[in-house]
């Protein structure tokens, strides 16, 4: 079936409540492995169905009208914006070169998107280089910078630019001295951290990922991608393929793999690449760095995904990796690249039974690595001369990130964050063992949050597994069953929900609620086993952990089922969608943003073949059964009282097709036996939500909070007729 991706070219200005469009069920069944699947809204996947397009448009209009008329929403939005204004500007995409040149995006709270600045030293004056508002102004589209990479000599900056919330975009080249773009613009690329730019050693060009098909309606969308070399000054359509399915038939590369080449510098003997995508473990390859000049690179296998290895680093001929083999909390190993031994490698940092190893770096002062306990308590260690010591951090760390300053410096950049403290950046002198604050923005005071409390607990799930749960609330919490709860979670791709300071979630607490992060299985908060026990056939643990979290809060009399809202998005749609279809009685509100709610149809979605690595392949019987089990749409039953739902989608979303949310909403509306509203908020100017402006982001959260508090019967939140 032709892939569906709605881009509405019509404006239905006369749609009103009096002309309500109703989508009806149309009998449709599939039979896979002797299992009959009823899919009465399959026709909604057809991009040419005009009635469906009008239904989407009507939901866009009516949802906006309803949400704008909930009292209290305006005040939430105003508070979010007021908190934002205290932060005069944000610094993102910070790149610091070996000679201390800094390139970064700076976004003032009055800006729609960040602008590119640079400084030629830590204390030098910053210079504005480029405003994306000036890019392709004639197109009428709003472009944002999504990625940047300065050349090694800092003369040129490669800039990733995408429009209207889309992810596929352009790479442009900025002359730093002249502050002007070079005439060459590369299209058909994905300018992001995953598929970013690698400069050639002589700065004559870049390595990037070319996407042959970028039409989301085409069945080959983002398939058969290629790592290519582009030389500055050449025709932008001219490139040399160095890693791809067609170029490397000796390697078993699938259509959905992303053959990625990783960054390299002049000190490296080798280049590395992997078959990347929506997967935690990958097949890795390597080649001599001189082969970048050859007509074809001889990629040699380094390791397979089955080896359970992550984050490889090659120093001369030594290969370091984080390994989960026989050690679910990970260890750091060392072997040789030319004769690797992954069964009996040298262990340079052994597994900790309580803490899970997260990241590591190596420099002249030894090995530095970070760990986390339950995904919420971070520590930093150094190993030198076979002695391991814990480094005392300057502040308590919920999460940390570490980075070498440069190849000639033994110092580190250390960033620390927590639920109630914004990210703090430090320079660590490894010789002196001292930290110096190195924040790029001034600290901001939030007296509203001074009486907030963070409580880290573990609760038993359905099978006895202990699930880490983070609670944030005002001091003096009463266990009177009257607290409004917002439970967030995700549980896919091994992504841990690390502590980070977000005024958005703290605003829920300001409104008298309790914010809860349920660290469900499918993430890596408790190591590799935690991830594997929420993956494909074990995916039910993900939503059962969320259900157990809600049951615990009720049992402890912190709240009642009439005061629990759950929220997630993207792959987290599986989490919240299946939670309410398995236990509709347990929740008052479900909020789902661009959610994966119809996994059985994964193969037919734009990013589906890529995501099948994580969720399952429908052509494999056992994995198809797993996809059915995690499919929220297929688990909707007639006559069941479902919670109030706010489902949102961006019509430019190329990851989770809008019809996925549409099918779920259409079926839920006719199936539910409750009077709880099912609201479908459709945004024609948004994508997957990765690059929303702050105003749009805060407006979305004001919608969600006002809707939830209205449904919970909170004073001050009523629908104004």
């Amino acid at each position: 079936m032709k892939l569906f991706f709605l881009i509405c070219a019509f404006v239905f200005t006369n749609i009103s409540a009096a002309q309500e469009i109703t989508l009806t069920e149309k009998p449709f069944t599939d039979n896979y492995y002797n299992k009959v699947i009823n899919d009465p809204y399959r026709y909604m996947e057809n991009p040419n169905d005009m009635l469906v397009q009008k239904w989407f448009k009507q939901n866009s209009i009516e949802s906006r009208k309803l949400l704008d008329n909930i009292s209290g929403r305006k005040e939430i939005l105003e508070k979010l914006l007021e908190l934002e204004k205290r932060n005069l500007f944000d610094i993102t995409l910070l790149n610091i070169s070996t000679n201390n040149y800094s390139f970064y995006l700076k976004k003032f709270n009055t800006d729609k998107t960040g602008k590119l600045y640079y400084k030629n030293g830590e204390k030098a004056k910053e210079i504005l280089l480029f405003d994306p508002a000036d890019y392709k102004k004639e197109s009428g589209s709003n472009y944002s910078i999504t990625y940047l990479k300065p050349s090694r000599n800092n003369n040129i900056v490669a800039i990733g630019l995408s429009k209207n919330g889309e992810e596929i975009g352009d790479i442009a080249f900025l002359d730093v001295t002249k502050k002007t773009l070079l005439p060459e613009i590369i299209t058909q690329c994905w300018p992001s951290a995953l598929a970013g730019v690698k400069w050639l050693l002589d700065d004559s060009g870049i390595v990037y990922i070319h996407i042959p098909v970028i039409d989301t309606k085409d069945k080959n969308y983002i398939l058969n991608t290629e790592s290519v070399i582009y030389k500055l000054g050449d025709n932008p359509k001219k490139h040399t393929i160095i890693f791809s399915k067609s170029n490397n038939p000796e390697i078993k590369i699938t259509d959905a793999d992303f053959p990625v080449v990783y960054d390299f510098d002049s000190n490296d003997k080798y280049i590395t690449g992997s078959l990347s995508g929506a997967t935690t473990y990958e097949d890795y390859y390597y080649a001599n760095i001189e082969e970048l000049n050859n007509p074809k690179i001889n990629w040699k296998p380094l390791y397979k995904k089955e080896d359970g290895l992550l984050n490889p680093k090659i120093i001369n001929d030594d290969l370091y990796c984080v390994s989960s083999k026989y050690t679910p909390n990970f260890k750091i190993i060392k072997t040789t690249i030319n004769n690797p031994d992954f069964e009996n490698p040298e262990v340079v940092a052994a597994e900790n039974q309580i803490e899970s190893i997260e990241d590591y770096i190596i420099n002249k002062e030894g090995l530095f690595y970070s760990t986390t306990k339950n995904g919420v308590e971070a520590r930093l260690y150094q190993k030198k001369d076979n002695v391991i010591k814990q480094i005392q951090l300057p502040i308590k760390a919920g999460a940390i990130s570490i980075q070498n300053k440069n190849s000639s410096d033994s110092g580190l950049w250390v960033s620390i964050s927590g639920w109630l403290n914004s990210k703090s950046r430090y320079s660590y002198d490894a010789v002196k063992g001292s930290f110096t604050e190195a924040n790029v923005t001034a600290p901001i005071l939030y007296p509203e949050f001074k009486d907030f409390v963070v409580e880290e607990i573990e609760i038993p799930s359905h099978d006895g597994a202990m699930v880490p749960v983070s609670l944030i609330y005002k001091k003096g919490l009463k266990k009177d069953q009257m607290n409004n709860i917002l439970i967030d979670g995700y549980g896919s791709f091994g992504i841990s929900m690390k502590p980070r300071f977000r005024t958005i979630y703290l605003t829920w607490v300001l409104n008298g609620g309790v914010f809860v992060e349920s660290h469900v299985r499918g993430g890596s908060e408790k190591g590799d086993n935690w991830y594997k026990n929420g993956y494909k056939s074990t995916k039910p643990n993900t939503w059962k952990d969320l259900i157990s979290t809600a049951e615990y809060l009720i049992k402890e009399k912190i709240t009642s089922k009439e005061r629990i809202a759950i929220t997630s998005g993207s792959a987290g749609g599986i989490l919240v969608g299946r939670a309410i279809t398995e236990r509709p009685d347990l929740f008052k509100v479900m909020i789902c943003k661009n959610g994966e709610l119809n996994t059985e149809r994964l193969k037919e979605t734009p990013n589906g073949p890529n995501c099948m690595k994580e969720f399952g392949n429908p052509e494999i019987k056992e994995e198809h059964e797993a996809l059915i089990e995690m499919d929220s749409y297929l688990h909707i039953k007639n006559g069941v009282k479902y919670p109030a739902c706010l489902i949102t989608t961006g019509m430019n979303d190329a990851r989770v097709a809008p019809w996925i949310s549409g099918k779920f909403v259409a079926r839920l509306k006719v199936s539910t036996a409750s009077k709880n509203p099912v609201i479908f908020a459709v945004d024609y100017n948004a994508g997957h939500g990765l690059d929303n402006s702050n105003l749009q982001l805060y407006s979305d959260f004001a919608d969600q909070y006002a809707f939830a508090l209205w449904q919970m019967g909170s004073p001050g939140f009523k629908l104004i007729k």
Side-chain angles (χ1 to χ4, degrees):
M1 177 179 288
K2 191 175 182 181
L3 291 175
F4 170 70
F5 181 65
L6 277 174
I7 301 178
C8 188
F10 303 92
V11 179
F12 302 102
T13 57
N14 296 321
I15 296 176
S16 67
Q19 300 169 301
E20 183 175 357
I21 298 168
T22 302
L23 298 181
T24 58
E25 295 186 353
K26 297 181 181 179
F28 187 95
T29 59
D30 272 336
N31 192 315
Y32 290 105
Y33 310 108
N34 298 318
K35 189 176 185 69
V36 176
I37 298 169
N38 294 304
D39 190 352
Y41 292 93
R42 175 73 62 89
Y43 68 93
M44 291 184 68
E45 301 174 21
N46 179 6
N48 300 315
D49 193 312
M50 293 302 298
L51 182 65
V52 173
Q53 289 198 32
K54 290 180 180 180
W55 181 82
F56 267 82
K57 191 65 181 180
Q58 182 178 72
N59 274 275
S60 174
I61 294 168
E62 294 301 319
S63 64
R64 186 72 268 144
K65 186 187 302 182
L66 181 142
L67 294 167
D68 284 342
N69 279 285
I70 299 175
S71 63
R73 178 194 178 278
K74 179 182 176 183
E75 287 73 18
I76 291 177
L77 178 57
E78 288 174 347
K79 184 60 180 179
L80 287 168
L81 292 173
E82 189 268 316
L83 292 170
E84 169 67 18
K85 287 179 181 177
R86 295 183 203 175
N87 184 17
L88 296 179
F89 57 85
D90 286 323
I91 299 291
T92 57
L93 301 185
L94 176 65
N95 279 253
I96 302 176
S97 66
T98 55
N99 52 2
N100 278 331
Y101 272 66
S102 298
F103 295 84
Y104 50 89
L105 291 191
K106 187 174 186 178
K107 180 180 179 183
F108 289 90
N109 54 39
T110 54
D111 292 335
K112 288 184 177 181
T113 187
K115 301 172 186 176
L116 175 60
Y117 289 80
Y118 94 110
K119 295 194 294 186
N120 61 2
E122 188 174 343
K123 296 183 179 179
K125 180 182 178 181
E126 71 176 12
I127 297 172
L128 173 63
L129 288 178
F130 180 70
D131 183 349
D134 297 327
Y135 185 69
K136 294 186 178 180
K137 294 178 77 170
E138 71 283 356
S139 70
S141 297
N142 297 314
Y143 279 86
S144 299
I145 298 174
T146 56
Y147 180 85
L148 61 93
K149 182 77 169 181
S151 60
R152 300 176 193 280
N153 60 17
N154 299 306
N155 291 335
I156 306 290
V157 183
I159 306 172
L161 292 147
S162 296
K163 69 178 189 299
N164 302 335
E166 298 174 5
E167 293 181 77
I168 306 302
D170 302 343
I171 296 174
F173 299 93
L174 183 87
D175 185 308
V176 174
T177 302
K178 297 179 181 179
K179 303 181 192 176
T180 56
L181 293 181
L182 301 183
E184 299 82 18
I185 303 293
I186 299 174
T187 58
Q188 293 184 238
C189 47
W190 197 333
S192 66
L194 166 67
V197 164
K198 279 68 65 174
W199 282 93
L200 298 177
L201 294 176
D202 61 359
D203 286 336
S204 63
I206 63 169
V207 178
Y208 76 97
I209 288 186
H210 171 70
I211 305 174
V213 179
I214 61 172
D215 181 357
T216 56
K217 298 187 293 295
D218 192 299
K219 65 179 181 179
N220 292 311
Y221 169 69
I222 65 169
L223 297 181
N224 298 305
T225 57
E226 308 162 330
S227 272
V228 303
I229 291 176
Y230 168 74
K231 291 294 188 79
L232 293 179
D234 284 351
N235 185 318
K237 296 187 181 299
K238 178 183 176 183
H239 55 242
T240 301
I241 301 172
I242 60 172
F243 196 18
S244 74
K245 180 180 179 180
S246 61
N247 196 60
N248 303 94
E250 71 281 4
I251 299 174
K252 293 181 180 179
I253 302 177
T254 70
D255 293 351
D257 286 330
F258 286 80
V260 174
V261 175
Y262 292 98
D263 215 348
F264 46 85
D265 63 39
S266 57
N267 297 319
D268 292 333
K269 293 176 63 175
Y270 305 99
I271 53 173
T272 59
S274 79
L275 304 184
S276 187
T279 177
T280 299
Y281 295 101
E282 301 168 342
D283 294 344
Y284 258 80
Y285 298 84
Y286 75 104
N288 293 323
I289 198 166
E290 294 83 3
E291 293 192 49
L292 280 169
N293 300 313
N294 293 350
K296 182 174 179 178
I297 294 176
N298 177 33
W299 292 104
K300 291 173 282 190
L302 188 56
Y303 58 77
K304 293 292 185 182
K305 60 175 71 71
E306 293 78 15
D307 292 316
L309 300 172
L310 299 166
N311 198 3
K313 299 183 192 297
I314 302 172
I315 300 177
N316 296 318
D317 290 318
D318 292 328
L319 170 65
Y320 295 81
C321 292
V322 174
S323 172
S324 64
K325 199 160 194 174
Y326 316 122
T327 48
N329 273 4
F330 303 105
K331 59 181 177 282
I332 301 174
I333 64 167
K334 175 184 176 182
T335 186
T336 60
I337 191 169
N338 294 312
N339 188 26
D341 182 358
F342 299 126
E343 283 296 324
N344 298 288
E346 178 185 346
V347 177
V348 294
E351 179 187 33
N352 185 313
Q353 296 299 316
I354 298 174
E355 303 164 25
S356 178
I357 292 175
E358 287 247 307
D359 196 8
Y360 73 101
I361 57 174
I362 301 167
N363 64 29
K364 295 177 181 178
E365 289 299 308
L367 169 74
F368 298 85
Y369 64 97
S370 60
T371 67
T372 182
K373 179 183 176 183
N374 288 346
V376 295
E377 182 181 335
R379 292 175 181 166
L380 181 62
Y381 294 89
Q382 178 185 13
K383 181 178 181 180
K384 184 179 181 182
D385 300 327
N386 287 322
V387 176
I388 294 177
K389 70 172 184 178
Q390 182 179 345
I391 297 172
Q392 295 302 313
L393 297 170
I395 58 175
K396 184 178 180 180
I400 62 175
S401 63
I402 54 177
Q403 181 182 357
N404 272 325
K405 286 190 172 180
N406 56 60
S407 58
S408 60
D409 194 324
S410 59
L412 281 65
W413 296 116
V414 180
S415 295
I416 302 174
S417 61
W419 298 116
L420 297 180
N421 57 282
S422 56
K423 181 182 288 187
S424 298
R425 187 168 174 266
Y426 295 88
S427 171
Y428 179 67
D429 187 320
V431 176
K432 296 179 180 179
S434 61
F435 286 91
T436 304
E437 278 196 54
N439 289 316
V440 292
T441 59
I444 305 165
L445 298 178
Y446 296 97
E448 299 95 333
F449 308 147
K450 64 181 177 63
D451 291 329
F452 285 11
V453 175
V454 175
E455 185 179 355
E456 303 288 3
I457 62 174
E458 289 185 273
I459 62 102
S461 191
H462 69 105
D463 57 355
M466 298 303 290
V467 181
V469 175
S470 306
L471 295 91
I472 306 175
Y473 51 84
K474 288 182 181 179
K475 190 181 296 182
L477 177 74
K478 294 180 181 180
K479 293 188 176 182
D480 58 1
Q481 301 179 313
M482 296 298 290
N483 296 291
N484 293 328
I485 304 292
L486 180 67
I487 308 177
D488 182 58
Y490 189 67
S492 289
F493 303 110
I495 295 174
S496 297
M497 304 305 286
K498 298 178 182 179
R500 53 185 293 216
F501 180 80
R502 296 193 71 186
T503 57
I504 287 172
Y505 289 133
L506 297 180
T507 298
W508 176 267
V509 184
L510 273 181
N511 279 274
V514 179
F515 175 75
V516 179
E517 189 71 58
S518 183
H519 302 278
V520 300
R521 278 171 279 188
S524 293
E525 282 88 343
K526 299 181 81 168
D528 189 59
N529 283 349
W530 201 248
Y531 165 56
K532 295 287 180 57
N533 286 323
Y535 170 80
K536 291 187 178 178
S537 63
T538 61
K539 194 67 178 172
N541 286 326
T542 299
W543 63 83
K544 290 180 186 294
D545 288 350
L546 180 66
I547 288 169
S548 295
T549 302
E551 290 175 330
Y552 173 86
L553 296 171
I554 294 170
K555 176 176 171 289
E556 291 298 306
K557 298 184 178 179
I558 294 172
T559 191
S560 66
K561 63 183 181 180
E562 293 299 314
R563 295 182 177 274
I564 299 178
I566 55 176
T567 181
S568 194
S570 193
I574 297 170
L575 173 71
V576 293
R578 284 298 283 116
I580 69 159
T581 49
E582 184 157 311
R583 284 295 305 278
D585 61 303
L586 194 57
F587 308 102
K588 181 60 179 176
V589 177
M590 186 268 268
I591 299 165
C592 185
K593 300 154 284 193
N594 303 292
E596 185 54 78
L597 297 163
N598 191 192
T599 48
E600 196 276 332
R601 297 291 291 161
L602 193 64
K603 189 178 179 181
E604 307 304 323
T605 65
N607 197 36
N610 182 30
C611 287
M612 281 159 42
K613 302 170 187 176
E614 170 73 13
F615 303 121
N617 185 343
E619 294 180 0
I620 300 172
K621 182 178 184 294
E622 294 76 13
E623 295 190 7
H624 183 254
E625 290 172 351
L627 288 170
I628 292 173
E629 182 59 29
M630 67 181 82
D631 191 308
S632 304
Y633 165 78
L634 292 181
H635 280 83
I636 296 172
K637 297 182 176 66
N638 290 329
V640 173
K641 293 182 178 180
Y642 289 103
C645 292
L646 174 58
I647 315 292
T648 70
T649 192
M651 295 301 281
N652 298 324
D653 193 340
R655 291 201 186 193
V656 181
W659 56 255
I660 293 173
S661 295
K663 286 175 66 178
F664 181 85
V665 169
R667 193 170 198 176
L668 189 65
K669 281 189 172 186
V670 300
S671 300
T672 184
S674 76
K675 295 182 180 179
N676 296 320
V678 177
I679 306 302
F680 190 29
V682 181
D683 190 337
Y684 281 80
N685 296 309
H688 200 61
L690 300 178
D691 192 42
N692 285 352
S693 67
N694 281 357
L695 178 59
Q696 182 61 53
L697 181 69
Y698 296 148
S699 180
D700 290 345
F701 274 94
D703 288 343
Q704 295 161 26
Y705 292 177
F707 178 79
L709 292 168
W710 164 43
Q711 289 302 302
M712 291 173 176
S714 182
F717 293 89
K718 300 183 184 300
L719 185 62
I720 303 169
K721 299 292 186 178

